[in-house]
Amino acid sequence: MADAKVIPFDDDRSRGGAGKVVPRRRLVNGRRKGEPVAVREVAPLPGQQDGEPPAAGRSQGRQEPQGGPDRSDRPEGADVPRDGGGLERRVASGLAFLRRRLTGDYEVDEFGYDKELTDQVLMSLVRPLAEKYFRVEVKGIENIPADGGALIVANHSGTLPLDGVMLQVAVHDNHPQNRHLRLLAADLVFMLPVVNELARKAGHTLACAEDAQRLLEAGELVGVMPEGFKGIGKPFSERYKLQRFGRGGFVSTALRAGTPIVPCSIVGAEEIYPMIGNAKTLARLLGFPYFPITPTFPWLGPLGAVPLPTKWTIQFGEPIPTDGYPPEAADDPMLMFNLTDQVREQIQHTLYKLLVQRRSVFF
């Protein structure tokens, strides 16, 4: 479509007999055949002086073809709608994607991460939830390195782990290099059907020190939420109060890899499913760490599983460097405790600051 050119309609001179005019005989005012014709003076063209030759490229006495001048010399793509080929390109891209899926012509890394599927499908599915539903606002994205490994440590909340998904979208869509966040997830995630495959394809892996260190040393951006189920399953009355950060294993991993630690504070996730109760007996029967009871679930059935449209803010703090410590520092329990406490205090302080600045839960 972009190569199409406008071909103006013209008289017979522009067709097969270009430059050859077929004479036509006709009777003018009763003039006899062969009688000489009176010659009239032809008025000069506009802007042409007497005796001046016709302008270059213009034939004397010839009019422009109806419909405007010939535009065959215009730049390619001129006067073509901006989205003229957009739909065709999207269709072609989609068909090429399906062909690669069907033929197996795509790559996954050793952890099962499928970058193409994540970019073209998974991100596209959850992006409207982040942009339109939760209206996620991102601050401090410049604190995430442009390249190389880094460990992002964030608070965990919301009853269901939607905060991890929103964090992944926020990093990818707002970082200048569109970096992908590889989250460390709990065992339960990889025990659930469908969820297991999606988590692997999206780049997530088991929350163990070995996998985390390999990713960091490979220059990946790794995300961890040390509160685990204690944070995501806490009652609504304890919202935005950080739980214990485990034994500080994430600090040890960052020290061994020599990568910076970036604290991250998420506000808005606590209110999507206000957990007012926990059916512990039912949770044990189902093998879950908790079974939430909210103002809408399970009373409204499937409709109660719809999260409330709260307004989210995700802020990344200043990175804490670890490359200045000696290799044996990863085995120093006192150093790990101090760094863990430093990260936790920075996240908690930022949470309080964001809550003071927030006008409303929903706006």
Side-chain angles (χ1 to χ4, degrees):
M1 297 296 291
D3 295 331
K5 295 184 178 181
V6 178
I7 302 178
F9 291 99
D10 204 343
D11 53 16
D12 292 339
R13 289 174 293 180
S14 64
R15 301 181 182 176
K20 182 179 178 181
V21 180
V22 180
R24 297 180 180 178
R25 297 178 178 273
R26 63 178 182 175
L27 192 64
V28 182
N29 293 331
R31 176 176 57 83
R32 297 188 182 88
K33 180 178 180 180
E35 185 177 325
V37 181
V39 180
R40 296 181 301 167
E41 183 178 356
V42 179
L45 295 174
Q48 178 182 348
Q49 302 297 330
D50 292 342
E52 180 181 354
R58 181 186 295 173
S59 59
Q60 189 173 10
R62 179 177 177 179
Q63 297 180 349
E64 293 288 350
Q66 187 176 4
D70 184 7
R71 299 183 180 181
S72 60
D73 58 344
R74 66 182 180 176
E76 184 177 350
D79 296 339
V80 177
R82 294 183 179 180
D83 60 345
L87 179 59
E88 293 182 1
R89 285 193 298 269
R90 288 194 294 270
V91 172
S93 177
L95 292 176
F97 173 80
L98 290 177
R99 183 173 62 252
R100 289 191 295 272
R101 293 284 118 183
L102 294 175
T103 59
D105 186 18
Y106 59 92
E107 297 181 356
V108 296
D109 69 3
E110 57 181 320
F111 297 96
Y113 172 48
D114 190 334
K115 184 177 184 301
E116 183 184 43
L117 181 68
T118 301
D119 284 341
Q120 298 194 21
V121 179
L122 301 182
M123 283 288 182
S124 300
L125 292 175
V126 298
R127 185 171 289 117
L129 188 63
E131 294 180 352
K132 306 298 183 182
Y133 197 78
F134 294 133
R135 296 146 291 148
V136 178
E137 179 183 0
V138 179
K139 299 180 179 180
I141 194 68
E142 66 277 1
N143 290 318
I144 298 179
D147 52 24
L151 183 66
I152 296 181
V153 182
N155 59 305
H156 205 12
S157 62
T159 305
L160 291 182
L162 293 180
D163 52 355
V165 179
M166 295 299 103
L167 180 60
Q168 186 181 16
V169 176
V171 172
H172 178 268
D173 289 359
N174 291 274
H175 195 276
Q177 305 301 324
N178 299 118
R179 300 198 65 180
H180 282 278
L181 181 65
R182 310 288 293 270
L183 287 170
L184 303 178
D187 301 3
L188 180 61
V189 173
F190 301 101
M191 295 171 59
L192 299 175
V194 181
V195 176
N196 171 29
E197 286 296 324
L198 291 178
R200 289 288 185 188
K201 296 291 186 182
H204 310 325
T205 188
L206 190 65
C208 65
E210 292 77 12
D211 287 358
Q213 186 172 344
R214 285 162 59 194
L215 287 171
L216 289 173
E217 292 176 346
E220 296 287 349
L221 201 61
V222 179
V224 62
M225 295 174 168
E227 293 177 281
F229 291 121
K230 299 188 303 293
I232 195 175
K234 62 178 176 288
F236 187 67
S237 59
E238 299 180 12
R239 60 192 179 278
Y240 298 114
K241 295 179 182 178
L242 293 183
Q243 306 298 302
R244 192 172 64 90
F245 270 21
R247 296 185 298 271
F250 69 91
V251 172
S252 176
T253 302
L255 286 170
R256 296 182 190 279
T259 54
I261 300 174
V262 182
C264 175
S265 302
I266 303 174
V267 166
E270 293 275 16
E271 295 89 0
I272 59 173
Y273 296 112
M275 186 170 166
I276 58 177
N278 181 13
K280 297 181 179 180
T281 302
L282 185 58
R284 283 195 297 268
L285 292 175
L286 296 175
F288 295 159
Y290 56 89
F291 189 89
I293 297 176
T294 72
T296 58
F297 182 83
W299 326 116
L300 299 182
L303 187 61
V306 177
L308 297 179
T310 58
K311 174 71 172 63
W312 287 36
T313 301
I314 299 178
Q315 180 164 334
F316 300 96
E318 294 184 3
I320 300 173
T322 63
D323 53 355
Y325 295 96
E328 60 272 13
D331 299 321
D332 185 349
M334 186 58 66
L335 177 61
M336 285 193 296
F337 175 81
N338 290 336
L339 287 177
T340 301
D341 191 59
Q342 181 182 350
V343 174
R344 186 179 181 278
E345 287 298 322
Q346 188 168 338
I347 295 174
Q348 184 69 81
H349 177 73
T350 304
L351 286 175
Y352 288 147
K353 184 174 65 176
L354 293 175
L355 289 172
V356 171
Q357 297 173 353
R358 183 170 66 168
R359 296 178 300 171
S360 168
V361 173
F362 300 101
F363 303 101

